[in-house]
Amino acid sequence: MRILIVEDDLRVGDFISRGLKSEGYVVKLIDNGVAGYRDAQANEYEVIILDLMLPDMSGTQICQALRSEGVSTPIMMLTAMDSMNDKITGLRMGADDYMTKPFSFDELVARIEALGRRAIGYSEGNSILEVDDLRFDLKAVRVWCCDKELTLTDKELAILELLMSKPGELFSRERILSNVWGMDTDPLTNVVDVYIAKLRKKIDCNPKAPHIETVRGRGYRLSKSCD
């Protein structure tokens, strides 16, 4: 996924850029509003991250200009201001999401993933996720394990889709919580652990080699299980 970051605070921009690159994203960082706007016009990205207060051209102005030109790339606004009016203005100008500094990096990644899925969509060629003996038809919303169709709840499907989208990658509880339950969920809840336990019972056809691996104190990742 290609991401454009327009952020004039180089400390913040470098922190976000380094973090996203470590997650496997292709990232371009620009510290000037006009230059960021021109780059967004000339190149294709899956997500654009805009700081609200930028030199020469504000994030709101960039967002409004891009939308007026028909650019539909999902846009996330970053700001140090927590005013409801600022958020409403940004969203009305065409922003898709809004985060207030300081923020959790896990939450930022979760929101980017959600925006990226919305932008890319699922074409006929990539509507099937397959990891070892697990098969997930995203269009039909059907899941099989070892050729046996499974019955999963909406939340179980959402967790499985997230894990199967990046097999082997570690997902923290907070990241799963943000993706599946939303940003306002109590971070101290154990709901992720409860649903992971339920999901394991349904997708593990070989109990001695579970699909979902627990990394103590860090989170979960999808691994191969059935031979």
Side-chain angles (χ1 to χ4, degrees):
M1 187 189 296
R2 298 175 302 278
I3 299 176
L4 172 64
I5 303 171
V6 187
E7 168 63 74
D8 65 318
D9 186 327
L10 293 181
R11 181 183 59 84
V12 174
D14 187 61
F15 166 75
I16 298 173
S17 178
R18 286 176 180 271
L20 292 179
K21 286 178 180 178
S22 72
E23 295 285 335
Y25 297 105
V26 177
V27 180
K28 185 170 186 179
L29 174 62
I30 296 177
D31 63 358
N32 175 274
V34 172
Y37 167 60
R38 290 174 177 165
D39 191 273
Q41 285 180 304
N43 299 291
E44 292 187 6
Y45 296 96
E46 275 67 54
V47 175
I48 298 172
I49 300 176
L50 298 176
D51 183 42
L52 186 63
M53 304 298 292
L54 291 165
D56 302 326
M57 190 175 188
S58 73
T60 303
Q61 290 173 321
I62 295 173
C63 182
Q64 185 177 25
L66 291 174
R67 292 298 187 242
S68 69
E69 294 164 9
V71 176
S72 59
T73 305
I75 293 175
M76 176 183 293
M77 304 290 289
L78 298 180
T79 180
M81 297 182 290
D82 194 23
S83 164
M84 182 58 67
N85 287 334
D86 293 321
K87 293 181 181 181
I88 292 172
T89 299
L91 294 171
R92 283 179 173 170
M93 292 300 114
D96 297 274
D97 204 351
Y98 202 107
M99 287 194 71
T100 304
K101 304 173 187 175
F103 49 79
S104 157
F105 183 74
D106 277 343
E107 181 179 345
L108 175 67
V109 171
R111 293 194 184 203
I112 288 172
E113 288 171 344
L115 290 175
R117 288 197 298 273
R118 187 186 310 169
I120 297 170
Y122 296 110
S123 65
E124 197 65 38
N126 66 0
S127 65
I128 304 293
L129 295 177
E130 291 189 85
V131 181
D132 195 37
D133 52 31
L134 284 172
R135 187 169 183 267
F136 194 151
D137 186 329
L138 298 166
K139 286 186 176 293
V141 197
R142 299 173 68 186
V143 176
W144 296 264
C145 181
C146 300
D147 296 323
K148 178 183 178 182
E149 187 167 0
L150 308 178
T151 301
L152 304 179
T153 67
D154 289 345
K155 290 293 189 290
E156 291 166 350
L157 288 166
I159 294 172
L160 185 60
E161 178 185 348
L162 183 64
L163 297 178
M164 289 185 71
S165 69
K166 295 183 179 180
E169 180 170 323
L170 182 65
F171 288 85
S172 68
R173 289 172 176 81
E174 292 79 9
R175 192 169 163 191
I176 297 172
L177 195 66
S178 296
N179 267 276
V180 177
W181 278 270
M183 307 306 161
D184 298 324
T185 310
D186 181 1
L188 299 180
T189 180
N190 70 339
V191 67
V192 171
D193 307 277
V194 171
Y195 272 83
I196 288 287
K198 292 179 178 180
L199 185 58
R200 275 187 171 134
K201 291 180 180 179
K202 295 182 179 182
I203 68 173
D204 287 341
C205 51
N206 181 359
K208 293 182 179 180
H211 280 100
I212 301 175
E213 177 187 355
T214 301
V215 180
R216 188 177 296 275
R218 298 186 62 192
Y220 301 98
R221 62 185 167 209
L222 192 72
S223 59
K224 296 182 179 181
S225 67
C226 294
D227 296 324

